[in-house]
Amino acid sequence: MFKNKKVIGIIVGILIAAFVIFCIVQTNITFALEDEKPMHIGEEVVREKYSITVKDYEIVSNSDMQKLYPGSKEILTSQNEDNGVEMGDAILVHCVMNFKDKSKGFPYGDFNLDSGSFRQGISAELFHLINKEFKFSQVELNKDYEIIFPFDIYTNQLRSGRLDEVQTMKIRLVCCLNPLIYVQLDKE
């Protein structure tokens, strides 16, 4: 009788382990990300609701941002007060976007700048300041729009804490939907 309980316990344990493994494997199959797809400057990234082509990018210092976009001083100053961290350079990514559907609004959350050292989303406040002429509510579908994506870079995001580190980084614009597509921002 004692051996039968032990055998039944082992069988139940094996069945539970098999069920757990099956659930994990099934979940990974269901939600598996497709392979990353690297793109380069000038190549068109096509999504269901829009397409985007990165034309160029530039790294702009805080003081130059304030000169180029006078209203940015207030934005940059208020950001400093909010998080207590000094804003450094900004990376401006020049893009051409074509919208196929605008039912969900501008896709700010679809884009991140990533270097391995930091990951940063679009600064909505700077986006509206820099792209004054662009009004998403007035977008015509299937028409190209030149847009600049501004990404703030803070010294506390960098390994060395020095902003000159940004100049030598391999940076990519990540389109955060599945499949993961990124545009490598290399000027070769």
Side-chain angles (χ1 to χ4, degrees), residues 62-74:
N62 186 320
S63 60
D64 287 344
M65 278 292 290
Q66 292 179 33
K67 289 175 191 168
L68 289 169
Y69 307 102
S72 68
K73 182 173 184 171
E74 182 179 310

Side-chain angles (χ1 to χ4, degrees), residues 32 35 48 52 76 81 101 117-118 135 138 147 159 173:
D35 291 333
E48 185 178 321
I52 182 170
L76 299 174
E81 291 169 4
D101 181 1
S117 290
F118 66 87
K135 305 284 186 237
Q138 299 170 357
I147 298 173
R159 290 183 190 138
L173 177 68

Side-chain angles (χ1 to χ4, degrees), residues 56-175:
D56 200 5
Y57 77 99
E58 60 184 319
I59 300 171
V60 182
S61 70
N62 186 320
S63 60
D64 287 344
M65 278 292 290
Q66 292 179 33
K67 289 175 191 168
L68 289 169
Y69 307 102
S72 68
K73 182 173 184 171
E74 182 179 310
I75 293 169
L76 299 174
T77 304
S78 68
Q79 287 176 353
N80 291 342
E81 291 169 4
D82 288 347
N83 60 24
V85 176
E86 180 183 344
M87 188 215 155
D89 299 340
I91 297 178
L92 306 179
V93 180
H94 301 264
C95 306
V96 174
M97 286 191 79
N98 186 307
F99 298 92
K100 297 167 181 32
D101 181 1
K102 58 181 197 163
S103 61
K104 300 213 182 212
F106 190 83
Y108 295 104
D110 287 6
F111 302 100
N112 285 307
L113 205 61
D114 180 54
S115 75
S117 290
F118 66 87
R119 183 173 207 122
Q120 183 71 28
I122 294 174
S123 168
E125 295 87 1
L126 287 176
F127 179 89
H128 291 291
L129 176 72
I130 292 171
N131 299 289
K132 286 180 184 175
E133 304 298 317
F134 177 78
K135 305 284 186 237
F136 188 73
S137 60
Q138 299 170 357
V139 163
E140 294 177 33
L141 299 181
N142 300 311
K143 180 179 175 186
D144 288 345
Y145 290 90
E146 295 207 15
I147 298 173
I148 297 173
F149 290 172
F151 298 92
D152 298 332
I153 304 301
Y154 298 90
T155 55
N156 68 340
Q157 293 175 311
L158 306 173
R159 290 183 190 138
S160 70
R162 296 179 38 217
L163 289 167
D164 58 350
E165 181 182 348
V166 175
Q167 300 288 344
T168 59
M169 287 181 173
K170 294 251 183 217
I171 299 172
R172 60 189 195 166
L173 177 68
V174 179
C175 302

